[in-house]
């Protein structure tokens, strides 16, 4: 039995039956939840396997530079750390500050295992040397500048 | 008790000066100099008292220097006004400001020289004859500045002022030489005091049972002491060689190289002494 025969054998639908059918279809449509258009778009996007993604060019030069930068940062951090540790272990400065480049470096007092007797004997020498050095650095007590004349 | 009383009175005067430092220079410049800045011919005080005296005179000098700066500023203002308007009134004002600035300058120089002279007392014992000679020279110039104040008060015309300014300029070169010589002498005296303090220490070390290396270092110390003294003599020589000439450069700066060299030798010596004491002497010492 072909589709045409079936159509022919089917009794014609009345107006009432048609109306009932329409109501039934509308009810069915209303009862289905509305699809979120955005969601569906996303789903479409996810389900599509070979979308044209812009390829990221990982230039070798850039990677090399980045690596070098990281290496330098690590190196800098390490050197700072080492110098801080070394400085903290250094003995405190001697009481005789040495600022002139030509001056010999005096051994720091704290490290010297001198007896109190010798320390006492050397104390006035060191004190006077300090004064002498300060005077020479500060140019002693120089006269006031009178370059500006009081002429008429 | 008398000394304590004098010190207290001095301190009170110093406070008074500090509180009036905001006064205009024109008022203070005319006033008579304070009692603290008069030269004194008293015997040498103890180190502490001497230091207090130096500190007090230094304060006086700084105060006088501030007054001079204010007076000079006033003088330049009046000069500008006269250049702009050129009236008799502005000229009178300018001459008045010039006179006040000159007096302030003379007071400042006098207090500076007084302070320097007192500073020389600190290490005077190392070279009494030469240092006293410097002190006399400085005192002479202090009196000259005092005298200048009287002369400045008698100046009337602009021509008088110009002549006085020119005379001052030529005299100031001589004053600078005296100042430089005194400064060098003071540093030499201090260096010699240090060398003198080192000598008994090295002598004491020599009596110890030193190792050969210690003996060698000790002889090096003696050589360095000689070299230090040689540098000091060169520093003094520079000031003496140029005393009579029209040499206007700063003699102190020229001698400074020798002073620094001498100081470096002394510092090396102290370093060597410590080295000997640690490494080459009997540990029980």
């Amino acid at each position: 039995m072909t589709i045409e025969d079936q159509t022919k054998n089917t009794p014609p639908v009345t107006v009432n039956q048609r109306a009932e059918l329409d109501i039934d279809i509308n009810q069915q449509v209303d009862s289905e939840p509305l699809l979120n258009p955005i969601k569906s778009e996303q789903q479409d996007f996810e389900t599509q396997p070979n979308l044209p993604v812009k390829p990221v060019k990982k230039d070798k030069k850039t990677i090399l530079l980045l690596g070098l930068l990281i290496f330098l940062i690590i190196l800098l951090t390490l050197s700072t750390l080492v110098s801080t540790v070394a400085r903290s272990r250094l003995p405190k400065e001697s009481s005789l500050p040495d600022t002139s480049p030509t001056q010999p470096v005096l051994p720091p007092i704290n490290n010297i295992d001198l007896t109190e007797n010798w320390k006492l004997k050397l104390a006035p020498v060191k004190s006077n040397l300090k004064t002498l050095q300060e005077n020479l650095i500060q140019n002693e007590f120089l006269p006031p500048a009178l370059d500006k004349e009081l002429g008429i | 008790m008398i000394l304590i009383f004098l010190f207290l009175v001095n301190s009170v005067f110093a406070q008074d000066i500090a509180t009036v430092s905001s006064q205009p220079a024109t008022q203070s410049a005319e006033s008579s100099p304070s009692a603290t800045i008069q030269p004194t011919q008293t015997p040498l005080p103890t180190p502490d008292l001497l230091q207090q005296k130096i500190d007090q005179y230094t304060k006086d000098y700084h105060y006088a220097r501030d007054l001079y700066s204010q007076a000079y500023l006033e003088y330049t203002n009046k000069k500008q006004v006269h250049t702009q308007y050129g009236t008799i009134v502005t000229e009178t004002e300018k001459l008045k400001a010039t006179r006040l600035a000159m007096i302030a300058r003379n007071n400042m120089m006098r207090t500076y020289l007084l302070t320097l002279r007192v500073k020389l007392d600190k290490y005077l014992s190392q070279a009494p004859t030469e240092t006293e000679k410097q002190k006399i020279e400085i005192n002479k110039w202090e009196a000259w500045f005092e005298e200048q104040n009287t002369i400045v008060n008698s100046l009337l015309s602009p021509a008088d002022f110009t002549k006085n300014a020119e005379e001052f300029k030529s005299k100031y070169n001589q004053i600078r030489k005296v100042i430089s010589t005194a400064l060098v002498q003071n540093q030499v005296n201090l260096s010699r005091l240090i060398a003198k303090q080192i000598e008994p220490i090295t002598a004491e070390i020599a009596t110890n049972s030193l190792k050969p290396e210690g003996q060698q270092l000790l002889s090096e110390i003696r050589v360095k002491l000689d070299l230090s003294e040689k540098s000091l003599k060169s520093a003094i020589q520079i000031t003496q060689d140029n005393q009579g000439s029209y040499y206007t450069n700063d003699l102190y700066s020229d001698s400074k190289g020798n002073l620094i060299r001498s100081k470096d030798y002394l510092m090396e010596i102290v370093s060597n002494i410590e080295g000997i004491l640690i490494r080459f002497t009997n540990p029980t010492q």
Side-chain angles (χ1 to χ4, degrees):
Chain A
M1 198 173 172
T2 61
I3 294 167
E4 277 181 19
D5 294 336
Q6 275 181 356
T7 316
K8 280 175 186 172
N9 293 333
T10 309
V13 180
T14 62
V15 176
N16 286 342
Q17 281 174 329
R18 178 67 190 253
E20 279 173 12
L21 268 173
D22 282 349
I23 290 163
D24 195 35
I25 288 163
N26 283 340
Q27 277 174 349
Q28 274 185 355
V29 170
D30 288 345
S31 64
E32 280 180 17
L34 280 170
L35 288 172
N36 184 354
I38 297 165
K39 196 178 174 184
S40 64
E41 273 176 24
Q42 278 178 346
Q43 281 169 346
D44 289 348
F45 180 77
E46 280 164 10
T47 47
Q48 284 173 351
N50 289 322
L51 273 176
V53 181
K54 200 179 177 184
V56 180
K57 278 190 178 177
K58 290 190 176 178
D59 191 7
K60 273 185 180 178
K61 223 174 187 177
T62 315
I63 294 164
L64 204 69
L65 276 172
L66 207 68
L68 197 69
L69 194 72
I70 292 163
F71 175 72
L72 278 172
I73 289 165
I74 292 165
L75 204 71
L76 200 72
T77 317
L78 276 173
S79 67
T80 314
L81 204 71
V82 167
S83 68
T84 313
V85 171
R87 218 172 283 170
S88 68
R89 286 188 180 186
L90 271 177
K92 283 177 185 174
E93 278 183 19
S94 95
S95 63
L96 201 64
D98 192 358
T99 48
S100 167
T102 54
Q103 283 155 5
V105 180
L106 284 178
I109 282 177
N110 293 349
N111 271 5
I112 294 171
D113 192 21
L114 285 179
T115 58
E116 283 302 314
N117 179 34
W118 283 115
K119 275 184 190 173
L120 278 172
K121 280 174 187 171
L122 282 171
V125 179
K126 286 189 170 188
S127 166
N128 282 329
L129 259 177
K130 193 181 173 186
T131 310
L132 182 70
Q133 193 175 352
E134 280 171 4
N135 285 350
L136 287 168
I137 290 166
Q138 293 165 7
N139 275 340
E140 172 65 30
F141 183 60
L142 287 178
L146 289 179
D147 296 336
K148 36 192 182 181
E149 287 175 41
L150 285 168
I152 299 295
Chain B
M1 282 299 285
I2 295 165
L3 287 174
I4 293 167
F5 173 73
L6 281 173
F7 171 64
L8 286 170
V9 170
N10 249 6
S11 309
V12 170
F13 274 132
Q15 279 174 358
D16 286 347
I17 286 169
T19 49
V20 296
S21 62
S22 57
Q23 285 178 356
T26 48
Q27 286 173 14
S28 305
E30 278 183 325
S31 64
S32 61
S34 79
T36 53
I37 56 171
Q38 291 300 318
T40 49
Q41 296 297 329
T42 50
L44 285 181
T46 59
D48 282 351
L49 271 176
L50 179 65
Q51 192 53 53
Q52 282 173 13
K53 214 172 155 185
I54 291 169
D55 293 344
Q56 184 58 56
Y57 289 155
T58 309
K59 273 184 196 169
D60 285 348
Y61 160 60
H62 288 153
Y63 175 63
R65 197 179 56 186
D66 290 347
L67 290 181
Y68 169 63
S69 298
Q70 290 170 29
Y72 186 81
L73 200 71
E74 184 71 14
Y75 154 75
T76 47
N77 286 340
K78 297 289 180 191
K79 194 179 176 182
Q80 263 182 353
V81 171
H82 180 63
T83 312
Q84 198 176 349
Y85 298 103
T87 66
I88 295 169
V89 177
T90 54
E91 190 182 55
T92 314
E93 287 285 310
K94 188 184 80 170
L95 291 178
K96 192 183 164 190
T98 311
R99 182 178 288 115
L100 290 173
M102 281 175 160
I103 290 168
R105 179 199 60 196
N106 295 339
N107 286 340
M108 174 187 68
M109 283 309 298
R110 204 161 44 79
T111 51
Y112 171 79
L113 290 170
L114 170 64
T115 314
L116 181 61
R117 184 161 57 82
V118 177
K119 269 175 177 265
L120 283 175
D121 283 339
K122 213 169 175 182
Y123 312 112
L124 176 95
S125 59
Q126 301 309 310
T129 315
E130 292 90 341
T131 314
E132 282 295 350
K133 196 180 151 194
Q134 296 304 319
K135 284 177 70 181
I136 291 166
E137 275 291 305
I138 293 170
N139 205 358
K140 196 182 91 183
W141 286 109
E142 283 174 59
W144 184 80
F145 276 109
E146 182 81 54
E147 188 192 339
Q148 284 302 301
N149 276 354
T150 322
I151 293 170
V152 167
N153 275 323
S154 66
L155 300 176
L156 295 170
S157 68
D160 291 344
F161 278 94
T162 309
K163 197 182 166 195
N164 185 274
E166 279 167 9
E167 277 173 12
F168 178 84
K169 203 178 165 186
S170 69
K171 286 280 182 189
Y172 192 60
N173 282 337
Q174 295 175 46
I175 296 163
R176 276 176 63 187
K177 281 174 191 168
V178 171
I179 291 169
S180 293
T181 311
L183 287 173
V184 171
Q185 186 68 58
N186 208 29
Q187 297 284 37
V188 167
N189 288 353
L190 176 56
S191 303
R192 280 181 178 157
L193 172 67
I194 296 166
K196 216 173 226 179
Q197 287 172 329
I198 288 169
E199 274 168 15
I201 296 172
T202 52
E204 200 177 335
I205 293 171
T207 58
N208 284 294
S209 51
L210 277 178
K211 293 174 189 172
E213 297 96 324
Q215 289 288 358
Q216 197 188 332
L217 266 175
L218 207 62
S219 54
E220 271 180 34
I221 285 175
R222 289 189 191 107
V223 172
K224 280 173 188 170
L225 274 171
D226 287 344
L227 289 170
S228 167
E229 178 57 29
K230 206 176 167 185
S231 299
L232 295 178
K233 279 180 180 164
S234 302
I236 289 177
Q237 197 61 42
I238 288 171
T239 61
Q240 286 173 352
D241 286 350
N242 298 291
Q243 212 48 249
S245 66
Y246 285 103
Y247 188 77
T248 52
N249 279 349
D250 187 1
L251 293 178
Y252 179 74
S253 298
D254 293 346
S255 300
K256 204 176 169 182
N258 288 303
L259 294 172
I260 290 172
R261 208 168 299 128
S262 167
K263 186 257 307 170
D264 287 345
Y265 282 128
L266 293 172
M267 292 191 84
E268 276 179 40
I269 289 167
V270 172
S271 181
N272 289 351
I273 286 174
E274 287 179 331
I276 293 172
L277 290 171
I278 294 162
R279 284 175 243 157
F280 309 121
T281 54
N282 187 349
T284 55
Q285 280 292 312

